[in-house]
């Protein structure tokens, strides 16, 4: 099932989709409100060198190995990610998360985020102080005089942290996406079950109307005509059992005399009658 078919099913099952989306929105709002906002400080640290009023000062300034401020900013950016600098920032009270990016123009972009407003500012100031300190120590090792040293200047100097709702927005987007996926899944599951039930009913109806389903049943035809004559069961009168206190009477079959004897008897009787008349 492709994406278009899924959305078509969801629109067809809007009775399920709409309540599911409303429930997801409520859950999304509840979870997003439980996430505390974060505070953010955006600053910029610029690597710069002092102004040279004379040619002699310019020559001495150019003798500084860190005179290339773009390269120096790149070195400081890598130095800020080292474990010892991170430990120094943490010991100074900077426990917030920070990110330092080199813009390539002798400027380090610093971003500090933390749920605590005060800790955000503390961390930013600790980063600026530690990088300036490390650059000054590197130049001190090269015996570079103070007036000709490259410095790290805080260009922005933020005084307060801004509220960032990025964490709440990320939580809301994650919960909302999950709710949408679950809502579409519920619509698809209901649609598939509905199709399966319809297919099962269709197969059952087809099986009931198929010729094979009536193979074992007796044929249905016209009912036999009922005869007006009621046959009585055969009774053996000669062998009927007698009732208590009654004499049994055996019924013997009556047979007609033979025809020849009957004719002879008639003739004899007729002859006797004629003889008496003659006398």
């Amino acid at each position: 099932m492709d994406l278009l078919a899924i959305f078509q099913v969801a629109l067809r099952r809007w009775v399920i989709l709409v309540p599911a989306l409303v429930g997801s929105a409520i859950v999304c709002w509840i979870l997003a409100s439980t996430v505390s906002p974060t505070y953010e400080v955006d600053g910029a640290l610029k690597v710069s060198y002092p102004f040279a009023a004379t040619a002699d000062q310019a020559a001495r300034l150019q003798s500084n190995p860190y005179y290339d401020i773009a390269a120096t900013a790149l070195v400081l950016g890598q130095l800020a990610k080292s474990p010892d600098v991170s430990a120094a920032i943490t010991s100074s009270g900077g426990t917030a998360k920070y990110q330092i990016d080199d813009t390539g123009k002798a400027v380090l972009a610093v971003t500090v985020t933390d749920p605590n407003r005060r800790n955000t500012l503390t961390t930013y100031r600790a980063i600026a102080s530690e990088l300036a300190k490390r650059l000054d120590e590197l130049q001190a090792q090269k015996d570079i005089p103070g007036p000709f040293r490259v410095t790290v200047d805080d260009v922005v100097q933020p005084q307060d942290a801004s509220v960032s709702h990025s964490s709440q927005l990320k939580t809301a987007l994650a919960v909302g996406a999950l709710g949408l996926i679950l809502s579409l899944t519920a619509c698809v599951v209901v649609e598939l079950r509905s199709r399966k039930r319809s297919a099962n009913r269709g197969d059952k109806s087809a099986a009931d109307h198929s010729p094979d389903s009536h193979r074992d049943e007796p044929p249905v035809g016209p009912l036999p005509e009922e005869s007006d004559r009621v046959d009585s069961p055969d009774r053996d009168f000669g062998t009927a059992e007698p009732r208590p206190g009654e004499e049994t009477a055996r019924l013997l079959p009556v047979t007609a005399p033979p025809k020849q004897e009957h004719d002879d008897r008639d003739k004899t009787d007729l002859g006797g009658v004629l003889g008496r008349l003659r006398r």
Side-chain angles (χ1 to χ4, degrees):
M1 184 177 291
D2 56 359
L3 188 60
L4 180 60
I6 292 175
F7 281 109
Q8 290 176 351
V9 170
L11 291 177
R12 189 161 52 250
R13 298 289 178 177
W14 63 270
V15 178
I16 300 174
L17 180 64
V18 173
L21 292 179
V22 172
S24 300
I26 295 174
V27 174
C28 180
W29 179 78
I30 293 174
L31 293 179
S33 61
T34 57
V35 177
S36 58
T38 57
Y39 296 92
E40 182 176 322
V41 171
D42 294 323
L45 302 178
K46 180 177 176 57
V47 180
S48 58
Y49 48 79
F51 176 74
T54 62
D56 181 61
Q57 293 179 350
R60 297 186 62 178
L61 185 61
Q62 292 177 1
S63 62
N64 187 338
Y66 299 100
Y67 179 75
D68 187 356
I69 55 179
T72 302
L74 180 61
V75 172
L76 290 178
Q78 297 298 324
L79 186 63
K81 300 175 183 179
S82 62
D84 57 336
V85 174
S86 299
I89 294 173
T90 302
S91 63
S92 301
T95 58
K97 296 180 180 181
Y98 62 89
Q99 183 178 358
I100 299 177
D101 296 325
D102 181 20
T103 61
K105 296 181 180 180
V107 177
L108 296 175
V110 182
T111 302
V112 183
T113 57
D114 194 78
N116 190 309
R117 183 192 299 267
R118 184 176 180 179
N119 191 27
T120 305
L121 286 172
T122 302
T123 302
Y124 176 82
R125 291 167 182 172
I127 293 171
S129 176
E130 185 65 23
L131 291 180
K133 178 182 177 182
R134 291 300 178 100
L135 180 59
D136 190 67
E137 290 176 354
L138 291 174
Q139 294 178 100
Q141 294 174 2
K142 302 292 183 180
D143 296 330
I144 299 175
F148 303 102
R149 291 181 180 180
V150 177
T151 58
V152 176
D153 300 326
D154 187 0
V155 179
V156 180
Q157 296 183 358
Q159 302 298 321
D160 195 7
S162 60
V163 181
S164 174
H165 298 281
S166 59
S167 299
Q168 295 176 333
L169 182 60
K170 292 178 181 178
T171 302
L173 290 177
V175 176
L178 181 60
L180 178 60
I181 294 173
L182 293 178
S183 302
L184 295 176
T185 303
C187 294
V188 172
V189 169
V190 172
E191 179 70 17
L192 292 178
R193 288 185 177 180
S194 177
R195 292 181 181 179
K196 186 176 181 180
R197 286 195 297 266
S198 300
N200 291 336
R201 286 195 297 266
D203 294 341
K204 185 177 180 181
S205 177
D208 292 340
H209 291 83
S210 63
D212 296 336
S213 62
H214 302 284
R215 181 176 297 174
D216 299 333
E217 298 180 0
V220 180
L223 296 176
E225 297 181 357
E226 295 183 356
S227 176
D228 297 336
R229 181 180 177 181
V230 178
D231 297 333
S232 60
D234 297 336
R235 297 181 182 178
D236 189 1
F237 295 99
T239 60
E241 296 182 359
R243 294 182 180 178
E246 292 182 358
E247 295 181 358
T248 59
R250 187 182 183 88
L251 299 178
L252 299 177
V254 180
T255 59
K259 186 176 182 181
Q260 182 66 31
E261 295 178 359
H262 180 71
D263 294 340
D264 293 342
R265 189 180 296 173
D266 291 342
K267 290 178 180 181
T268 303
D269 293 340
L270 181 61
V273 173
L274 293 176
R276 284 193 297 271
L277 291 175
R278 288 176 183 176
R279 292 178 184 172

